[in-house]
C-alpha cells in the first residue's frame, strides 16, 4: 500500500474521531469555531502517532512534535477560513459546512505532513 493510500486509510479514522468530537461539541451548544479548535487539539497527539507510524513509517518521538504541531496549526487555520466562508458566505449550517471543508483540508494536511512534518 502506498503512502497516499495509507494516509487516506489512517485519515478516515482520524477524521471520524475529529468530526465526531466537533459534532458533539456543536450539538452541545459550543460555537462552531471554538468547537473546531478544541476537536483539532484533542486529535493532534493521536494523529501524530497514527500518521507518523502508520502512514509515513516515521519515528514518532518528542523531537518531531513541534513540526507536526506547526503543520496542524497551518491546516487548522486553512480549515477555519474555509469553514467561516462556507458558513457565512455560503450560508451552510456548521455541520454541513465542515463536511464540505474536509476534502480540501485533507489535501493541504497531507502536503504539510509529507513535505515538512515527517
Amino acid at each position: 500500500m502506498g503512502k497516499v493510500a495509507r494516509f487516506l486509510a489512517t485519515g478516515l479514522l482520524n477524521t471520524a474521531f475529529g468530526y465526531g468530537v466537533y459534532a458533539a461539541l456543536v450539538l452541545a451548544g459550543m460555537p462552531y469555531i471554538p468547537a473546531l479548535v478544541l476537536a483539532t487539539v484533542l486529535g493532534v497527539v493521536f494523529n501524530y502517532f497514527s500518521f507518523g507510524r502508520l502512514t509515513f513509517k516515521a519515528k514518532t518521538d518528542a523531537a518531531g512534535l513541534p513540526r507536526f504541531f506547526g503543520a496542524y496549526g497551518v491546516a487548522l487555520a486553512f480549515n477555519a477560513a474555509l469553514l467561516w466562508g462556507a458558513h457565512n458566505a455560503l450560508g451552510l449550517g456548521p455541520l454541513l459546512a465542515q463536511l464540505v471543508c474536509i476534502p480540501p483540508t485533507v489535501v493541504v494536511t497531507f502536503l504539510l505532513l509529507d513535505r515538512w512534518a515527517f
Side-chain angles (χ1 to χ4, degrees), residues 14 17-18 21 37-51 68-69 72:
N14 294 351
F17 173 80
V21 171
V37 172
L38 184 55
T40 300
V41 169
L42 291 174
V44 165
V45 172
F46 175 78
N47 293 358
Y48 175 66
F49 291 104
S50 64
F51 278 133
F68 188 81
F69 288 157
Y72 253 81

Side-chain angles (χ1 to χ4, degrees), residues 33-117:
I33 294 294
L36 176 67
V37 172
L38 184 55
T40 300
V41 169
L42 291 174
V44 165
V45 172
F46 175 78
N47 293 358
Y48 175 66
F49 291 104
S50 64
F51 278 133
R53 292 179 181 167
L54 300 174
T55 300
F56 298 101
K57 308 289 186 191
K59 180 179 172 186
T60 50
D61 59 14
L65 280 171
R67 284 189 318 275
F68 188 81
F69 288 157
Y72 253 81
V74 171
L76 174 60
F78 177 80
N79 190 166
L82 286 179
L83 180 58
W84 184 91
H87 180 66
N88 292 303
L90 299 178
L92 300 177
L95 298 179
L96 178 58
Q98 180 57 18
L99 282 175
V100 169
C101 295
I102 289 172
T105 302
V106 165
V107 172
V108 168
T109 302
F110 175 79
L111 293 172
L112 288 166
L113 295 180
D114 187 43
R115 307 236 166 112
W116 190 49

Side-chain angles (χ1 to χ4, degrees), residues 9-34:
T10 305
L12 286 175
L13 173 65
N14 294 351
T15 300
F17 173 80
Y19 187 78
V21 171
Y22 170 78
L25 293 171
V26 168
L27 293 172
M30 182 177 278
Y32 66 96
I33 294 294

